[in-house]
Amino acid sequence: MMSERVKIIIEGKTFEFPVIVGSEGEKAIDIAQLRKTTGYITHDPGFGNTGCCRSAITFMDGEKGVLRYRGIPVEQLAEHSTFVETAYLLINGHLPNREQLTQMRVLLNDSSMVHEDMKFFYQNFPRNAHPMGILSAMVNALKSFYPIYDIEEEQTYTTLNLISKIRTMSAMSYRMSRGHLVIYPRPDYSYCANFLNMMFDNPVNPYKMDEDLVKALNVFWILHADHEQNCSTTAVRVVGSGKVNLYAAISAGIAALWGPLHGGANQAVIEMLTNIQKNGQSIRQVIEMAKDKKKNFRLMGFGHRVYKTYDPRAKIMKKMCDMVLGKLKKKDPLLDLAKELEEAALTDTYFIDKHLYPNVDFYSGIVLRAMGIPLNMFTVMFAIGRLPGWIAQWQEGMEDPEGKIARPRQIYTGAGLTNYIPLGER
Ligand code: SDX
């Protein structure tokens, strides 16, 4: 929607630019003609003030702690929906009716197996290879095993092929890293139950499915399903803007998510809590360390580029910790430590002044630990959850009438014209 215009005065000359107003009232200055009309570009490291697209998929209000997928609050989806239904919502723009949901479940089941030749890739990774590196490589390899050359067909078949297989491939990397038998997907299990079974089933001691854990896994993946233009999602859109296949674009998203400042934070939180416990550090010591720039230490799982209040996903995740641990009759000292850290941080002026609150990663690792997911698989769990969001965003980018190949500008700060000096004269 276009409405008023803004005026910018540059070197005494006035330039006007249109204002774009989003459906929730967010406003942007449309600077598409800025360089052509003024010769200037903008400078915005980390793009914190820059919109790269118009999107109808996810709405976040960082000040109010609001998160909605296609307009539906994430709290309602976590309570009433399933991950497969939420994936359908994100990708298709509306909740499925019974027939559409059944058809999606059937197609996900049909494409849940992985080409047997892919096992040779897994067998040749070093045993201690990080599952995120394996996943990024194997998703990219899917194009070679499932070549589709029709973009229409790619958007339907590849989408479901990816959503179904990412589960199988993730469980495979875990099983093969331990030298265990690969467990195949079962047609009689739901999406989440199948993943837990492929991870933990054992012919000698069959995995006992626990419906509360299946529900917890649905909620975990619903909470991770999309988050508008974060680091990895924008990576998927940028790579997709070159019109490469979807597998390659998603592989780039997995690589971006791996970083400890992004999706790798859930693993980093548990490592941080474990170190605090092992080193016998007090809560006060940790809080002071996080405030001291010289210590190069951050309270992992705290802070967010957009949320300047409690991340709505962290609230649900925190409740899930108590539910899952209670159901399993387990206690986790790291949960008690996390709650004490949160309480101390939220009453400390440094954190209050900088609007630093728990984000989705602060409690998510506790839930994964309770489910028995190994630490090095935590970010893989995030990637499986985020996949429908990446796909929806990639698709929207491909269909964007304003869409073109991503090619930002820069401000050059290097040497002026310099002549080549032959080797003998240097
Ligand atoms: C995810 O973007 C998304 O939507 C991401 C995500 C998604 O769903 O896709 O929500 C998932 O990535 C969540 C974030 C997970 N990362 C972490 O938990 C790592 C720890 N957090 C930070 O490194 C940091 O808060 C970020 C990376 C999350 C946000 O960084 P910003 O917005 O660039 O903020 P910043 O680094 O400029 O920090 C602002 C100030 C700085 O102090 P000053 O220089 O102003 O004095 O806050 C301080 C920072 O030093 N600060 C922290 C802190 N986070 C920010 N100080 C201590 N501990 C922290 N965790």
Side-chain angles (χ1 to χ4, degrees):
M1 286 182 279
M2 293 284 197
S3 67
E4 75 259 27
R5 302 174 68 81
V6 291
K7 289 191 171 81
I8 302 179
I9 299 171
I10 298 178
E11 295 168 14
K13 208 170 159 213
T14 302
F15 298 89
E16 277 201 12
F17 295 94
V19 170
I20 302 170
V21 183
S23 50
E24 287 290 339
E26 294 164 293
K27 294 187 176 181
I29 302 170
D30 182 346
I31 57 165
Q33 300 304 316
L34 178 71
R35 190 169 187 276
K36 201 190 288 181
T37 53
T38 70
Y40 278 60
I41 62 169
T42 58
H43 177 58
D44 183 22
F47 309 124
N49 303 283
T50 298
C52 65
C53 61
R54 299 170 204 245
S55 178
I57 299 169
T58 292
F59 172 68
M60 290 169 64
D61 181 325
E63 280 63 39
K64 297 191 186 113
V66 169
L67 175 59
R68 299 183 201 138
Y69 299 156
R70 300 288 186 180
I72 302 177
V74 72
E75 294 84 350
Q76 292 183 24
L77 291 166
E79 187 176 346
H80 303 296
S81 186
T82 63
F83 176 60
V84 167
E85 185 180 70
T86 300
Y88 185 101
L89 168 70
L90 284 166
I91 293 167
N92 296 285
H94 60 85
L95 287 169
N97 60 31
R98 196 175 300 280
E99 186 196 338
Q100 290 161 331
L101 187 56
T102 304
Q103 199 211 8
M104 181 170 184
R105 287 195 171 123
V106 167
L107 292 172
L108 286 173
N109 256 335
D110 291 351
S111 44
S112 56
M113 298 287 278
V114 168
H115 196 295
E116 282 293 315
D117 289 354
M118 293 190 90
K119 275 189 186 168
F120 298 117
F121 282 74
Y122 282 93
Q123 281 157 357
N124 290 292
F125 275 104
R127 276 274 188 267
N128 62 351
H130 196 290
M132 281 295 276
I134 296 174
L135 187 63
S136 181
M138 299 310 287
V139 164
N140 219 337
L142 284 173
K143 180 66 182 172
S144 311
F145 285 91
Y146 303 94
I148 299 272
Y149 300 104
D150 169 302
I151 197 82
E152 290 298 316
E153 203 185 342
E154 170 143 34
Q155 284 186 325
T156 46
Y157 172 77
T158 305
T159 293
L160 292 168
N161 196 31
L162 253 175
I163 293 175
S164 190
K165 284 182 172 58
I166 194 169
R167 218 187 359 172
T168 314
M169 292 161 64
S170 301
M172 266 175 79
S173 67
Y174 169 61
R175 302 284 296 197
M176 295 185 80
S177 71
R178 297 161 69 92
H180 289 177
L181 184 73
V182 169
I183 301 294
Y184 287 89
R186 292 176 39 163
D188 58 328
Y189 272 177
S190 68
Y191 186 91
C192 293
N194 240 321
F195 175 77
L196 291 171
N197 193 58
M198 287 190 278
M199 283 287 287
F200 302 121
D201 193 30
N202 173 333
V204 176
N205 175 19
Y207 179 69
K208 290 176 195 58
M209 201 55 69
D210 178 328
E211 281 315 312
D212 285 320
L213 285 194
V214 174
K215 169 66 181 165
L217 185 53
N218 270 289
V219 172
F220 181 91
W221 277 338
I222 287 170
L223 294 178
H224 285 83
D226 194 51
H227 217 233
E228 55 135 278
Q229 301 311 313
N230 57 83
C231 174
S232 52
T233 299
T234 300
V236 169
R237 286 186 84 127
V238 166
V239 170
S241 72
K243 302 295 184 229
V244 75
N245 66 80
L246 176 57
Y247 297 121
I250 297 300
S251 173
I254 295 169
L257 186 72
W258 194 359
L261 291 189
H262 189 17
N266 55 17
Q267 177 175 339
V269 168
I270 297 298
E271 288 164 345
M272 173 187 75
L273 295 173
T274 306
N275 286 336
I276 293 167
Q277 194 187 44
K278 196 171 66 192
N279 302 336
Q281 287 162 303
S282 70
I283 297 293
R284 185 41 49 196
Q285 275 174 315
V286 176
I287 295 294
E288 291 312 313
M289 242 175 32
K291 292 156 64 174
D292 181 352
K293 294 281 183 283
K294 292 190 291 301
K295 289 283 192 311
N296 193 26
F297 169 83
R298 286 201 161 182
L299 197 56
M300 299 313 274
F302 253 75
H304 199 276
R305 174 65 58 77
V306 175
Y307 290 124
K308 299 309 166 193
T309 182
Y310 216 106
D311 182 332
R313 303 167 297 176
K315 280 185 190 158
I316 300 170
M317 210 59 94
K318 183 177 178 181
K319 284 196 202 110
M320 252 169 52
C321 290
D322 293 324
M323 185 282 280
V324 171
L325 289 168
K327 165 71 193 163
L328 296 171
K329 297 185 179 50
K330 278 184 182 174
K331 282 196 73 57
D332 187 345
L334 296 189
L335 175 59
D336 303 331
L337 181 54
K339 287 180 175 177
E340 286 171 50
L341 265 178
E342 175 193 337
E343 195 183 333
L346 296 190
T347 52
D348 185 287
T349 48
Y350 172 92
F351 289 84
I352 295 167
D353 295 350
K354 294 180 189 296
H355 305 289
L356 302 176
Y357 291 83
N359 60 52
V360 67
D361 294 307
F362 193 60
Y363 287 106
S364 60
I366 307 278
V367 174
L368 295 175
R369 266 162 64 94
M371 286 183 197
I373 305 290
L375 183 60
N376 70 352
M377 287 283 288
F378 280 14
T379 311
V380 167
M381 296 300 283
F382 192 145
I384 297 171
R386 184 53 51 89
L387 180 59
W390 284 335
I391 291 171
Q393 298 270 355
W394 169 84
Q395 197 165 269
E396 188 178 64
M398 296 294 272
E399 293 159 3
D400 185 348
E402 295 180 309
K404 44 186 166 186
I405 188 167
R407 207 292 185 196
R409 304 302 297 255
Q410 61 165 30
I411 295 295
Y412 177 69
T413 57
L417 176 62
T418 306
N419 293 318
Y420 180 79
I421 302 166
L423 187 55
E425 298 169 27
R426 288 178 210 157

